[in-house]
Amino acid sequence: RLRPSAAAFTGTTPLSLLFKLAQAGPMPLTELQSASGMAFSEFSAAVTDLCNSGYIEVTGEPGYEVAKLTALGQNVSRLAQPA
């Protein structure tokens, strides 16, 4: 069985963003980026990848965007959590 790396829980991977959203619920992108500890360019690329994969959706006006998990993102974050 595959297990997520420790990095997934420290805020340094796209998967860690799923975990943060699973714990906190929908979050403004500015708060999610701050909580992630990622550099802006890394965070932006991760959010784009997660959106394109169908795990999260981002809504709202520029500067006020909010990220939330999709049903697929909820399933993935649940399945990826260690037992």
Side-chain angles (χ1 to χ4, degrees):
R1 180 175 167 198
L2 294 176
R3 295 178 188 247
S5 69
F9 299 100
T10 62
T12 58
T13 69
L15 188 57
S16 68
L17 298 179
L18 292 182
F19 295 147
K20 288 184 189 318
L21 289 171
Q23 290 174 334
M27 282 180 97
L29 282 183
T30 54
E31 290 180 26
L32 183 60
Q33 197 258 328
S34 179
S36 76
M38 294 177 170
F40 178 78
S41 60
E42 181 184 12
F43 174 79
S44 179
V47 168
T48 298
D49 288 345
L50 291 170
C51 285
N52 290 342
S53 298
Y55 298 143
I56 68 171
E57 70 177 12
V58 177
T59 59
E61 296 295 318
Y64 299 97
E65 299 100 337
V66 174
K68 72 175 188 176
L69 291 177
T70 62
L72 178 60
Q74 290 171 357
N75 287 337
V76 168
S77 69
R78 183 177 41 81
L79 292 171
Q81 291 286 347

